[in-house]
């Protein structure tokens, strides 16, 4: 015998005092209450989703910042000029904003490019690692660059920074992903040819976005592309501008674009070294090693380039 979902005994009859009217709460009332409760829960859930989808930073400020001058900078560039090695050709010129005081310049110079604990040498070093990534059914070459900073800085200063470069089928760099940025931003830059291809392929930009390659805000609220990088006439590394205080990205541009720096106060040469296989073990010896490892894990687990709206290559 099939059980009845609601029996007569389940219906509630409430009689008020003083001849108040009787009120019956039957199946319809329970059903309406259930629907109301579900609507409240859905509204609460969707409110949380929309709140989570909102960027935690001012996108317009990021776009505006990338076109502003960076002021006086310290220039860090590779000592090797071996054009036969891809890691040298693509190595970034790193320009960090600095104050006018000699003390600040010396402090920033000493903090940049510290080797992994236990590594040989004491001069500034930028680590590199080659890799690949799929894009439109084609495997593309990537080159990652990473540099560490000495400890003892303010909490807002990033302990490490880096850039991952993706090449197109012709071997030209066209996508640049920064390792980290303040406020949890994920900054990426693409070449003009990539942006124009996406614009033609998708037919326009998404709401709340400035460029066609940027995904929907709800899908990637932390991701932002501050500007389009001009396509270079030859293969070379980018100009990576960093904020002096946070070490976050100011902008990534092509060497063929107008400089953002108003003056170069000093130049420091760094050596390139392969990122070691046991880097995690060495990082544990740093006081902020766990934080650096978390940054790298997010970078590896959430490749920004694979989240862009890219036209088939």
């Amino acid at each position: 015998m099939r059980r009845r979902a609601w029996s007569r005994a389940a219906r509630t009859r409430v009689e008020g005092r003083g001849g108040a009217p009787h009120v019956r709460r039957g199946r319809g009332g329970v059903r309406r209450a259930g629907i109301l409760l579900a609507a409240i829960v859905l509204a609460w859930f969707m409110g949380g989703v929309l709140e989570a989808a909102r960027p935690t930073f001012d996108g317009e400020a990021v776009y505006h910042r990338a076109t502003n001058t960076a002021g006086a900078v310290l220039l860090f560039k590779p000592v090797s000029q071996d054009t036969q090695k891809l890691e040298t050709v693509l190595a970034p010129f790193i320009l960090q904003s600095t104050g006018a005081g000699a003390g600040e310049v010396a402090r920033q110079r000493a903090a940049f490019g510290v080797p992994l604990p236990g590594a040989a040498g004491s001069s500034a070093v930028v680590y590199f690692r080659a890799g690949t990534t799929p894009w439109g059914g084609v495997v593309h070459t990537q080159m990652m660059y990473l540099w560490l900073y000495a400890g003892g800085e303010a909490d807002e200063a990033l302990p490490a920074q880096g850039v991952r470069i993706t090449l197109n089928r012709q071997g030209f760099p066209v996508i640049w992903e920064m390792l980290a940025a303040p406020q949890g931003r994920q900054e990426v830059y693409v070449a003009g040819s990539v942006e124009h291809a996406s614009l033609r392929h998708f037919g326009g930009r998404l709401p709340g976005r400035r460029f066609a390659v940027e995904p929907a805000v709800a899908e990637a609220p932390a991701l932002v592309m501050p500007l389009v990088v001009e396509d270079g006439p030859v293969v070379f590394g980018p100009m990576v501008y960093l904020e002096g205080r946070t070490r976050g990205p100011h902008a990534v541009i092509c060497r063929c674009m107008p400089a953002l720096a108003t003056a170069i106060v000093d130049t420091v040469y760094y050596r390139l070294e392969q990122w070691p296989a046991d880097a995690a073990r060495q990082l544990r010896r740093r006081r902020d090693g766990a934080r650096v490892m978390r940054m790298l894990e997010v970078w590896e687990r959430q490749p920004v380039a694979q989240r862009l709206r890219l036209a088939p290559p």
Side-chain angles (χ1 to χ4, degrees), residues 25-88:
R25 186 178 300 158
R27 298 183 186 178
V30 173
R31 186 178 296 113
R32 286 192 295 271
I35 293 173
L36 178 60
L37 178 60
I40 293 172
V41 172
L42 179 61
W44 172 82
F45 175 76
M46 289 304 296
V49 170
L50 293 175
E51 182 67 28
R54 294 193 185 102
T56 57
F57 53 88
D58 184 351
E60 287 301 319
V62 174
Y63 294 132
H64 184 68
R65 180 213 67 210
T67 59
N68 285 348
T69 61
V73 299
L74 266 171
L75 171 61
F76 302 92
K77 58 189 297 187
V79 63
S80 173
Q81 300 298 319
D82 188 350
T83 58
Q84 300 303 310
K85 295 181 178 180
L86 185 61
E87 63 267 21
T88 302

Side-chain angles (χ1 to χ4, degrees), residues 142-144 162-166 175-177 299-300 303-304:
Q142 281 189 329
M143 190 69 71
M144 178 200 81
V163 60
R164 181 164 51 203
I165 305 171
T166 302
I175 302 177
W176 299 264
E177 306 168 59
W299 208 28
E300 293 291 333
V304 175

